[in-house]
Amino acid sequence: MTQPITLTDEQREFRAVVRQFAADKIVPLAAEADRTAEYSWAAFDALKAMDLTALSFPEQYGGSGASLVDQAIVAEELARADASTSLMFLISKLGMLPVLNFGSEELKQQYVPRIAAGESQASYALSEADAGSDVASMTTRATRDGDDWVISGSKCWITNAGISDVYTVFARTSDDRHTGITAFLVEAEWGVEVDKLEHKLGVKGSPTGVIRLDEVRVPDTHRLGEVGEGFKVAMHTLDRSRPTIGAQAVGIAQGALDYAVDYMKERRTFGKPIGDNQGLQWMAADCAMKIEAARGLVYRACAMVDEGDPTGELSMLGAMAKCYASDVAMQVTTDAVQFLGGYGYTNEFPVERMMRDAKITQIYEGTNQIQRIVIAKHLMR
Ligand code: COS
């Protein structure tokens, strides 16, 4: 059944609860995690105590069975407070999507409940140093050996590297470009080494690293999908995750605009609040309008996932939602810094962090140039 295009009363109440939770428990931790560039276990424990680690997973595996629209509400509200915490919420879902959609029943029962309980976390290991946008040129290799596969190679830009204890790893099982890739679920303790952690511009509370697998032995039971199906597993997964990155971007933008509007009502120059100036009001109105448009697109793409992609447009809509919302987030957070003037440029105020955090949403889960390629391919097919 087609979902309504506005939120239900229940969803509005849920959003208010998550917003209050984020204001009370997440906002106070955000500046420190950004300053120290350390993972905030306090933030993760707060998510766990609120049962938000369970939200994105089916009930039969210990989750709450929430719709993707509900997951987007949470991603947005957390990002409104702190983008790194929003990423904590999103990353295990990304890591587990291939298990949920392509893994065996045994794998689902073995891994999903512990992720839902917040006892374990998952990462998505797709990109390589020379295979980011052109992901089909990956060289990490998996070789069959009896009932096992032996995987060797290096994966880059891995969110939650070193924190996660399970990784969805894509590896080459033959030289065929698209049909020679296979997906596997790999436990960190089987030999996933963190080679390097990046020093980044933003989302500093979320570690990003290079992981290396040297002849790591993975049982065939941990294969996700058929041999050679890995490229499609990767694309299918990203189609269902990109809308939630859009939600994260909407949250970052809303957080920055809300902060700036409050500031503009208080800050006085030339004898009146700066918010009385029509020039700034029009800028703020443009920001609010674009955020609302982005949110609508995000909800639509999420609803399409919930409905099972009945029209085959999900790939395009997901790309649009992620691309548009992240471009809006970059513009709105940049304007928010401008609204605060010199103060906005200092870390005494959160908007400069939000501007730095917004940037990654234009890059990860496929750059916005790749999203435009995906959209154009649908238009031209
Ligand atoms: N779902 C299912 N199948 C898909 C698909 C999708 N969303 N997108 C493509 N495919 C299929 C195609 O239909 C094609 O299959 P056939 O050969 O049977 O027709 C095959 O996969 C190859 O598709 P295509 O030729 O479009 O592949 P390209 O190598 O040109 O790559 C892009 C396409 C650029 C879209 C892809 O490489 C991509 O998304 N790159 C970005 C990766 C990314 O987001 N990385 C972020 C990592 S997570 S931080």
Side-chain angles (χ1 to χ4, degrees):
M1 199 181 82
T2 305
Q3 301 192 23
I5 54 170
T6 56
L7 298 185
T8 62
D9 288 346
E10 206 182 3
Q11 284 172 318
R12 276 182 233 284
E13 280 163 26
F14 177 59
R15 183 175 61 184
V17 169
V18 180
R19 181 170 293 195
Q20 193 59 51
F21 159 78
D24 294 344
K25 305 282 185 194
I26 305 302
V27 169
L29 302 169
E32 177 72 358
D34 179 59
R35 193 182 61 74
T36 58
E38 278 181 14
Y39 187 84
S40 173
W41 282 102
F44 183 76
D45 288 343
L47 297 183
K48 197 166 144 178
M50 255 318 252
D51 267 347
L52 291 178
T53 50
L55 193 91
S56 311
F57 299 100
E59 281 170 305
Q60 70 264 41
Y61 307 115
S64 328
S67 68
L68 201 65
V69 174
D70 288 349
Q71 294 170 46
I73 290 170
V74 173
E76 178 186 334
E77 291 306 325
L78 294 177
R80 186 172 171 274
D82 176 39
S84 295
T85 304
S86 176
L87 203 46
M88 286 179 190
F89 167 72
L90 291 172
I91 192 61
S92 285
K93 174 71 185 303
L94 174 64
M96 292 314 279
L97 267 173
V99 174
L100 291 169
N101 291 320
F102 299 94
S104 67
E105 186 55 34
E106 289 73 24
L107 278 187
K108 290 178 202 171
Q109 284 178 13
Q110 189 181 348
Y111 288 95
V112 182
R114 70 188 219 202
I115 304 259
E119 292 158 6
S120 209
Q121 295 190 54
S123 287
Y124 193 68
L126 177 66
S127 304
E128 298 181 2
D130 292 317
S133 292
D134 180 12
V135 67
S137 61
M138 69 174 64
T139 58
T140 293
R141 195 159 273 279
T143 310
R144 186 82 198 232
D145 183 23
D147 289 339
D148 296 340
W149 293 85
V150 178
I151 306 183
S152 291
S154 189
K155 294 281 177 184
C156 294
W157 318 121
I158 308 306
T159 300
N160 240 16
I163 299 281
S164 289
D165 37 21
V166 285
Y167 294 80
T168 293
V169 176
F170 294 85
R172 187 154 286 294
T173 43
S174 86
D175 290 334
D176 300 329
R177 189 173 142 78
H178 294 107
T179 53
I181 295 170
T182 306
F184 301 91
L185 188 67
V186 182
E187 292 206 22
E189 62 179 28
W190 295 345
V192 177
E193 301 292 340
V194 178
D195 260 358
K196 172 190 172 197
L197 290 175
E198 308 292 348
H199 297 280
K200 310 192 299 282
L201 178 72
V203 287
K204 291 186 179 218
S206 170
T208 307
V210 177
I211 60 163
R212 181 171 38 84
L213 294 87
D214 278 333
E215 301 196 349
V216 172
R217 196 164 272 278
V218 177
D220 188 50
T221 52
H222 284 57
R223 176 165 44 79
L224 306 170
E226 299 301 321
V227 174
E229 210 188 8
F231 186 81
K232 287 193 178 166
V233 172
M235 295 298 120
H236 184 277
T237 300
L238 290 170
D239 286 347
R240 283 149 186 80
S241 180
R242 284 174 180 155
T244 60
I245 296 300
Q248 181 187 42
V250 168
I252 297 170
Q254 190 69 64
L257 181 62
D258 290 349
Y259 195 93
V261 166
D262 284 347
Y263 180 89
M264 285 192 283
K265 289 180 194 163
E266 296 294 325
R267 173 74 175 165
R268 297 177 74 85
T269 59
F270 305 104
K272 61 180 184 184
I274 61 170
D276 283 3
N277 294 301
Q278 198 178 51
L280 297 189
Q281 289 179 358
W282 286 9
M283 278 171 73
D286 277 345
C287 290
M289 184 161 50
K290 288 178 185 171
I291 292 171
E292 206 51 55
R295 184 179 288 117
L297 198 46
V298 165
Y299 286 167
R300 181 146 145 64
C302 290
M304 200 169 265
V305 176
D306 290 332
E307 289 158 13
D309 191 15
T311 60
E313 291 173 305
L314 170 59
S315 210
M316 178 177 72
L317 255 296
M320 285 178 173
K322 186 271 191 198
C323 184
Y324 185 73
S326 58
D327 284 350
V328 166
M330 199 63 242
Q331 185 236 295
V332 169
T333 54
T334 307
D335 284 352
V337 170
Q338 194 70 22
F339 288 139
L340 269 74
Y343 292 110
Y345 201 63
T346 73
N347 65 6
E348 300 283 309
F349 294 85
V351 288
E352 62 85 31
R353 184 190 81 234
M354 293 167 172
M355 178 178 153
R356 288 185 285 104
D357 288 348
K359 187 65 206 169
I360 192 59
T361 64
Q362 294 182 302
I363 299 172
Y364 61 18
E365 294 209 15
T367 64
N368 281 3
Q369 287 66 38
I370 290 294
Q371 308 309 321
R372 287 177 169 92
I373 289 174
V374 172
I375 296 163
K377 273 191 180 179
H378 274 260
L379 295 177
M380 302 300 166
R381 72 182 175 181

